[in-house]
């Protein structure tokens, strides 16, 4: 009987290797991935920047290498370095990526019309988006306003840096701050927004006004693998609490809601999340999961007066949402002095995101 050879370097060879890593036809997204790996010096960091998981980017890299016929990066103690072939490919890839970015920007400018006004916003999503957009539309009825939703704040920032967006609402879990070039500016909307937990109304912990993380250690937790730092923050909270629950990777929000309602899983959620007849939303004891919400703008994209007004629209929408949530309103009342900047609609002090 013959034996199958397994490559010790990548462990992707073997009888099914060709099927698992079929050669791909290179696209611009592949070139962007190569540039991100070269710029960050790490597949892990590049994956975060691109809003991907590390295994997905690793698989994509191997398929790209299969398409070009050679190894593009060598992994060493100092990170991932381009091989000679990698340098050659990158020298051709960068102009293509830059040209494609310029093409998209020109197309978007044309879509706004000659002499027209266009405001390009981005957000991690959430219930505040609709209220924010409504206020912007009411204030700027003649401006075409677009919104780009991404689950990854890192992906939004990349779009901002590449001038494809003008302002973005990002979410930075505590302990996982995002870094930007020093010219970028952020205005803090909520310095320490808590994450609550959504669970079935039949769950034993649903009877408690506040739920300890340990009470949910035997439950499966829903996570979005594309959320990046959100997943890392959740894993860190579990480790700190000495827990190791099962994680369910679910990207579809409707499926996630059904799993929670049926009691199959629980999930971390915004404090303004509305419960249903079959679910409840509860604060977590000790607030093990918090995040900072910020509006980040690119210099020159908007006049300072418009940035002020845009932030005021966002803060007003957030305040309305917070006041309309019984659970979040109670949490804010109990936070007291620990809350260093409640959502009052008054712009917080401007902060350099690189500090």
């Amino acid at each position: 009987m013959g034996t199958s050879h397994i490559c010790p370097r990548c462990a992707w060879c073997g009888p099914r290797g060709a099927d698992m890593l079929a050669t791909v036809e290179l696209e611009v997204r592949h070139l962007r991935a190569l540039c991100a790996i070269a710029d960050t010096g790490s597949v892990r960091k590049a994956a975060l920047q691109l809003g991907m998981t590390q295994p997905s980017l690793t698989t994509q890299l191997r398929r790209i290498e299969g398409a070009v016929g050679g190894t593009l990066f060598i992994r060493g103690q100092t990170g991932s370095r381009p091989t000679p072939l990698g340098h050659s490919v990158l020298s051709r890839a960068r102009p293509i990526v830059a040209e494609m970015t310029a093409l998209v920007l020109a197309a978007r400018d044309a879509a706004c019309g000659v002499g027209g006004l266009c405001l390009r916003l981005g957000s991690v999503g959430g219930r505040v988006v609709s209220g924010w957009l409504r206020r912007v539309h009411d204030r700027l009825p003649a401006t075409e306003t677009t919104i780009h939703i991404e689950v990854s704040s890192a992906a939004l920032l990349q779009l901002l840096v590449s001038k494809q967006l003008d302002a973005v609402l990002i979410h930075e879990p505590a302990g996982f701050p995002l870094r930007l070039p020093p010219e970028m500016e952020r205005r803090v909307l909520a310095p320490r927004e808590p994450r609550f937990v959504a669970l079935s109304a039949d769950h034993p912990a649903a009877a408690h006004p506040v739920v300890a993380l340990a009470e949910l250690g035997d439950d499966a937790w829903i996570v979005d693998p594309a959320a990046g730092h959100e997943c890392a923050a959740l894993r860190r909270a579990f480790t700190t609490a000495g827990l190791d629950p099962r994680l369910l990777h679910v990207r579809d929000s409707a499926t996630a809601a059904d799993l929670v309602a049926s009691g199959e899983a629980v999930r971390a959620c915004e404090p303004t999340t509305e419960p249903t007849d079959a679910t409840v939303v509860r604060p977590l004891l000790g607030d093990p999961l918090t995040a900072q919400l910020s509006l980040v703008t690119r210099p020159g994209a908007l006049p300072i007066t418009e940035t002020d007004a845009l932030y005021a629209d966002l803060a007003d929408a957030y305040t309305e949402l917070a006041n309309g949530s019984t659970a979040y309103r109670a949490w804010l009342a109990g936070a007291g002095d620990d809350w260093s900047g409640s959502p009052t609609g008054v712009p917080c002090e401007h902060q350099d995101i690189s500090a």
Side-chain angles (χ1 to χ4, degrees):
M1 180 179 293
T3 58
S4 297
H5 172 68
I6 303 298
C7 174
R9 179 177 67 86
C10 65
W12 278 92
C13 299
R16 298 183 58 201
D19 294 332
M20 296 174 71
L21 287 177
T23 300
V24 298
E25 184 174 332
L26 290 185
E27 302 174 8
V28 174
R29 64 188 178 92
H30 298 134
L31 303 185
R32 289 187 190 279
L34 296 180
C35 292
I37 296 171
D39 291 341
T40 61
S42 163
V43 173
R44 180 183 63 81
K45 292 179 181 178
L48 288 174
Q49 184 182 94
L50 296 168
M52 302 172 62
T53 64
Q54 182 175 342
S56 295
L57 182 55
T58 298
T59 300
Q60 187 176 99
L61 174 59
R62 288 172 180 161
R63 285 176 172 153
I64 295 171
E65 290 177 331
V68 301
T71 302
L72 299 176
F73 292 93
I74 294 177
R75 183 176 179 180
Q77 293 183 345
T78 59
S80 296
R81 296 180 293 105
T83 62
L85 176 61
H87 280 297
S88 176
V89 172
L90 285 165
S91 68
R92 294 172 178 267
R94 291 189 187 280
I96 295 173
V97 171
E99 185 63 27
M100 181 57 69
T101 300
L103 184 153
V104 171
L105 290 174
R108 293 195 179 195
D109 288 342
C112 290
V114 178
L117 298 176
C118 185
L119 178 61
R120 302 167 302 175
L121 306 178
S123 174
V124 288
R127 298 186 62 219
V128 73
V129 170
S130 60
W132 186 24
L133 283 180
R134 184 177 71 252
R135 287 165 173 80
V136 173
H137 288 150
D138 289 345
R139 183 171 55 81
L140 301 171
T143 298
E144 180 180 346
T145 303
T146 62
I147 185 75
H148 181 90
I149 303 297
E150 286 277 356
V151 69
S152 167
S153 291
L156 285 172
L157 294 178
Q158 185 65 21
L159 292 172
L160 187 68
V161 171
S162 63
K163 299 183 180 180
Q164 296 182 57
L165 295 176
D166 302 314
V168 297
L169 172 62
I170 65 169
H171 177 276
E172 298 171 272
F176 297 89
L178 296 169
R179 302 179 65 180
L180 272 186
E183 65 269 16
M184 294 293 172
E185 182 187 69
R186 70 174 171 187
R187 302 185 180 198
V188 176
L189 175 68
R192 195 173 65 87
E193 182 188 73
R195 272 296 185 259
F196 287 3
V197 63
L199 58 157
S200 167
D202 295 329
H203 194 289
H208 306 155
V210 178
V211 179
L213 203 58
E215 295 181 74
L216 308 173
D218 293 330
D219 290 278
W221 283 72
I222 294 173
V223 297
D224 187 336
H229 289 164
E230 289 265 10
C231 297
L234 189 61
R235 290 179 185 275
R236 186 183 63 176
F238 290 145
T239 300
T240 301
L243 304 174
D244 186 23
R246 291 180 297 120
L247 299 182
L248 300 182
H249 289 187
V250 181
R251 299 201 63 179
D252 177 62
S253 58
T255 300
D258 286 343
L259 289 172
V260 171
S262 67
E264 290 294 327
V266 302
R267 66 169 170 169
C269 63
E270 295 180 338
T272 54
T273 298
E274 286 292 322
T276 67
D277 291 340
T279 63
V280 299
V281 175
R282 296 287 185 262
L284 288 168
L285 182 65
D287 301 321
L289 298 168
T290 63
Q292 180 170 275
L293 301 186
S294 305
L295 179 69
V296 181
T297 54
R298 176 170 44 83
L302 302 170
I304 186 65
T305 52
E306 175 54 33
T307 303
D308 289 340
L310 192 62
Y311 177 86
D313 290 336
L314 177 59
D316 188 46
Y318 190 85
T319 299
E320 180 182 67
L321 193 61
N323 288 337
S325 169
T326 302
Y328 194 21
R329 192 168 62 245
W331 185 92
L332 288 169
D337 294 337
D338 290 337
W339 179 262
S340 57
S342 58
T344 60
V346 179
C348 299
E349 180 182 354
H350 298 192
Q351 299 183 33
D352 186 341
I353 206 167
S354 65

